[in-house]
Amino acid sequence: MHLVAATEEQMVQRDALTYSEWGKLLSPEEYATREKRLRAHPWSRSGMRTWLLCAGDGGVLASCETFRTGSFLRTDGGSLVPGDSFAIASVFTEERLRGHGYATRLMDLLATELELQPRTHAAILFSDVGPRIYARSGYQALPAWDWHLSPTPGDPAGPVDSLLREDGLATALGRLRHPDVPFFFWPTPAQLDWHLERGRIYARHLGCSLPASAGATAGASTILWGLVGRSPELTVLMLDARSTSEAWALLEAARREASRSGLSRVVLWEEPSHAPLLPLLKGGGTTRVARDGSLPMVRPLRPGVPVPPLLPAPRGLWV
């Protein structure tokens, strides 16, 4: 068995096979169009590859995608060393080929390939099948809890200093504090816009409006959100709350934006930095639940890259 990078023709062939797994709400033709559109997005063009695990005769046994994403390693002196990490998505084995360990072999060979990259730090994935399969290949699971907030009527701009537009993602991302941990992943504005592109694709299928804003600021605090997938939800992509009062204002604005856009709820992925906010989140139309799928798992790709037990994995990193 060996690993190869897929051609465009091979990617299209895999699209036809993966439709049954990830084509919810779409026809096969619409799903094929979705995949081409997402691959054409600037973030994908800059660092996405599809990988195939092939048998000796060239037959494809399993496949996955990788997206180059930013990361930082903190030195003992506190300075940040930028590098490249890789988000892994769409790990797929045809049903007739399952049970032979091909996905594990794919992940092992892929790690060996990614370790050769000159600035490599780590790989991250979001498992929908639990931790066991990927733990075989050295991936460590992180905690995965969600907060669901009910929509609230009102003007989203009311409780905050300003609402953010999609064209202001770069400025907004620059306001966010880097996590105070020895290693962390960090998205780019193009990566966050890739999430919003998914929402642009799905909005008409969900019967809702695209949010008119992409987030908000309150004091020194910032939140980024969007309709990002196959569910009519306002998903928080990044949240940097400097105080409880500012956190309340940002989340209240999110709830109002969800109501204005006809969305069913706000979804916030819990992060270690949110611990002071937990009393604020309890009650009042909010629920904490164990996440259904999308379990974050991380594997270092070079010696000296730690996986902190409280490593943040915001929704903006998901693929």
Side-chain angles (χ1 to χ4, degrees):
M1 289 181 283
H2 59 284
L3 190 69
V4 300
T7 65
E8 182 62 36
E9 181 181 358
Q10 288 171 321
M11 292 180 197
V12 173
Q13 292 171 353
R14 297 307 284 178
D15 294 343
L17 293 172
T18 60
Y19 168 75
S20 60
E21 195 76 24
W22 296 300
K24 180 182 177 182
L25 298 183
L26 306 175
S27 69
E29 294 75 21
E30 289 170 332
Y31 177 73
T33 299
R34 186 201 83 163
E35 291 300 283
K36 290 180 181 179
R37 182 169 168 178
L38 289 175
R39 285 197 288 266
H41 188 274
W43 184 54
S44 301
R45 292 203 310 269
S46 69
M48 175 196 170
R49 299 184 80 176
T50 297
W51 299 92
L52 307 176
L53 176 69
C54 296
D57 62 1
V60 178
L61 304 173
S63 62
C64 71
E65 300 167 350
T66 58
F67 295 78
R68 189 183 301 272
T69 191
S71 55
F72 290 90
L73 190 62
R74 195 180 298 274
T75 68
D76 292 339
S79 59
L80 295 176
V81 179
D84 294 326
S85 288
F86 298 88
I88 299 173
S90 304
V91 179
F92 180 77
T93 305
E94 293 179 66
E95 188 171 357
R96 64 184 179 86
L97 296 173
R98 293 172 186 171
H100 299 283
Y102 294 143
T104 297
R105 183 61 174 156
L106 169 67
M107 300 303 289
D108 292 343
L109 289 176
L110 180 60
T112 299
E113 176 72 25
L114 298 178
E115 286 167 356
L116 299 176
Q117 302 299 309
R119 288 167 25 111
T120 193
H121 278 161
I124 184 170
L125 59 83
F126 297 88
S127 174
D128 289 328
V129 294
R132 184 172 59 87
I133 290 177
Y134 299 112
R136 296 172 186 163
S137 298
Y139 285 82
Q140 304 172 45
L142 301 175
W145 292 89
D146 292 351
W147 286 90
H148 296 165
L149 290 73
S150 60
T152 301
D155 180 3
V160 295
D161 295 335
S162 66
L163 294 176
L164 301 172
R165 294 164 48 92
E166 292 180 6
D167 59 8
L169 287 177
T171 300
L173 192 60
R175 286 174 49 95
L176 273 64
R177 293 173 296 182
H178 287 149
D180 188 18
V181 291
F183 169 75
F184 60 92
F185 303 95
W186 197 250
T188 63
Q191 185 170 349
L192 297 179
D193 186 76
W194 178 86
H195 289 277
L196 301 183
E197 181 72 357
R198 289 174 52 85
R200 298 172 194 129
I201 292 170
Y202 277 103
R204 72 180 183 88
H205 298 281
L206 295 171
C208 59
S209 302
L210 284 171
S213 61
T217 65
S221 300
T222 307
I223 190 171
L224 296 171
W225 61 53
L227 172 69
V228 300
R230 299 175 299 186
S231 299
E233 303 168 339
L234 188 72
T235 300
V236 176
L237 296 172
M238 306 286 287
L239 171 62
D240 175 18
R242 311 293 179 95
S243 70
T244 301
S245 60
E246 290 175 359
W248 179 88
L250 296 177
L251 293 173
E252 177 66 13
R255 297 173 72 170
R256 295 184 185 188
E257 183 62 84
S259 177
R260 179 170 70 172
S261 303
L263 302 177
S264 61
R265 62 188 177 190
V266 176
V267 177
L268 170 66
W269 281 21
E270 185 176 297
E271 299 177 50
S273 64
H274 298 162
L277 310 180
L278 298 187
L280 171 68
L281 290 168
K282 292 178 179 177
T286 65
T287 307
R288 184 178 187 252
V289 297
R291 188 173 308 148
D292 181 16
S294 295
L295 175 67
M297 302 188 71
V298 178
R299 169 178 169 156
L301 293 173
R302 78 171 203 194
V305 175
V307 179
L310 298 181
L311 176 66
R315 182 58 171 74
L317 296 176
W318 177 93
V319 293

